[in-house]
Amino acid sequence: QVQLAESGGGLVQAGGSLRLSCAASGLTFSNFYMGWFRQAPGKEREFVAYIRRSAGSTDYADSVKGRFTIYRDNAKNTVYLQMNSLKPEDTAVYSCAAAGKELALRSRYMYDYWGQGTQVTVSS
């Protein structure tokens, strides 16, 4: 059974940092493209970042580019999202996801497995 378990969320002041982790089990982690998405209250789930299997290539939403960094450790079956210079508009539930194919990885519909999510709240 595939499981993705996020951790690292919490409450932080604007300008602060958090690092989210997503530990995967039940799948061959190195074969999957990994993404982070977020959903704020009353809004649709939106793309944040993804990283390819080899960890050599990443992509970010414009709203987080230059502030967030996605990286992975295939030996630990874990993907991370380092979030710096956080803003109140970054407040959301952040979820990691795994995709088996390299197709439209900015789209949430292309992912096969999802975690439950972790809450990130940024106060002003």
Side-chain angles (χ1 to χ4, degrees):
Q1 182 179 0
V2 175
Q3 289 189 327
L4 302 178
E6 301 95 338
S7 61
L11 173 64
V12 63
Q13 288 188 332
S17 298
L18 283 175
R19 189 184 76 161
L20 306 183
S21 301
C22 171
S25 61
L27 52 72
T28 304
F29 183 73
S30 59
N31 287 349
F32 283 80
Y33 304 85
M34 299 301 296
W36 284 97
F37 289 77
R38 67 186 182 185
Q39 187 168 20
K43 295 187 177 181
E44 291 192 352
R45 182 176 286 177
E46 66 174 3
F47 166 74
V48 175
Y50 72 74
I51 186 166
R52 289 188 168 84
R53 295 180 298 185
S54 65
S57 180
T58 57
D59 189 25
Y60 298 90
D62 288 345
S63 59
V64 307
K65 198 171 294 183
R67 300 187 297 122
F68 291 11
T69 302
I70 185 172
Y71 60 102
R72 66 192 293 166
D73 185 338
N74 286 345
K76 295 183 177 180
N77 289 356
T78 301
V79 61
Y80 303 92
L81 185 68
Q82 177 66 45
M83 306 186 295
N84 298 329
S85 302
L86 283 161
K87 305 175 181 180
E89 51 264 44
D90 294 319
T91 295
V93 174
Y94 285 71
S95 300
C96 67
K101 297 180 180 179
E102 188 176 4
L103 292 172
L105 290 174
R106 284 178 167 240
S107 170
R108 63 185 185 268
Y109 300 110
M110 295 294 107
Y111 288 79
D112 304 298
Y113 305 104
W114 289 85
Q116 292 295 316
T118 185
Q119 176 70 47
V120 171
T121 303
V122 185
S123 63
S124 56

